[in-house]
Amino acid sequence: PLVARKADYVVQQLPTTVVAQPWQVHGAVRLFDAGNTLPFIARYRKEQTGDMTPPDLRHVERVLQRVEQVEERRAGVLKSLDKMQALTNPLEKAIWQAMTMEELEDIY
């Protein structure tokens, strides 16, 4: 479920220059999440990414890294607000809906 949510975020944030179907991006995210490298994925896992090109895979990898940074920051913000006993339901909902570091920082 977490990988699928990350993959959905990646699909939404990919530049329009990347021509890929959601299933291709989901496959690439699963492979990157499992620790596979871009050259390995491009060369040996084409069937799981629908023959995505190395530049497109690089875009997916970069967006995935940003998504993971946001997830990490989100966890820190939630923990901090909870520790301060300042976490309300509307605030928590807004934090979960934030998709960028800027949105998270504005909320925090």
Side-chain angles (χ1 to χ4, degrees):
L2 181 59
V3 173
R5 192 173 91 214
K6 282 197 290 189
D8 289 339
Y9 286 157
V10 172
V11 168
Q12 293 171 9
Q13 294 184 18
L14 274 178
T16 55
T17 56
V18 176
V19 180
Q21 297 296 318
W23 72 267
Q24 293 172 292
V25 176
H26 279 253
V29 168
R30 275 192 306 275
L31 290 165
F32 281 123
D33 218 42
N36 294 291
T37 64
L38 190 147
F40 178 82
I41 294 168
R43 202 169 295 130
Y44 301 112
R45 295 294 181 257
K46 292 179 181 184
E47 72 284 352
Q48 293 182 39
T49 65
D51 281 332
M52 287 181 75
T53 65
D56 286 348
L57 287 168
R58 195 168 296 110
H59 281 297
V60 170
E61 183 179 37
R62 287 182 185 144
V63 173
L64 178 59
Q65 288 169 347
R66 283 198 308 267
V67 167
E68 288 172 341
Q69 290 170 348
V70 169
E71 290 295 319
E72 204 173 287
R73 180 68 180 135
R74 181 187 333 272
V77 167
L78 287 168
K79 184 177 179 180
S80 176
L81 289 172
D82 189 44
K83 188 176 180 181
M84 294 186 305
Q85 297 179 345
L87 188 60
T88 63
N89 285 338
L91 186 57
E92 184 176 9
K93 182 179 178 183
I95 291 168
W96 280 108
Q97 290 176 340
M99 292 183 67
T100 65
M101 291 292 259
E102 292 80 18
E103 290 173 358
L104 273 176
E105 294 305 322
D106 287 347
I107 293 167
Y108 190 54

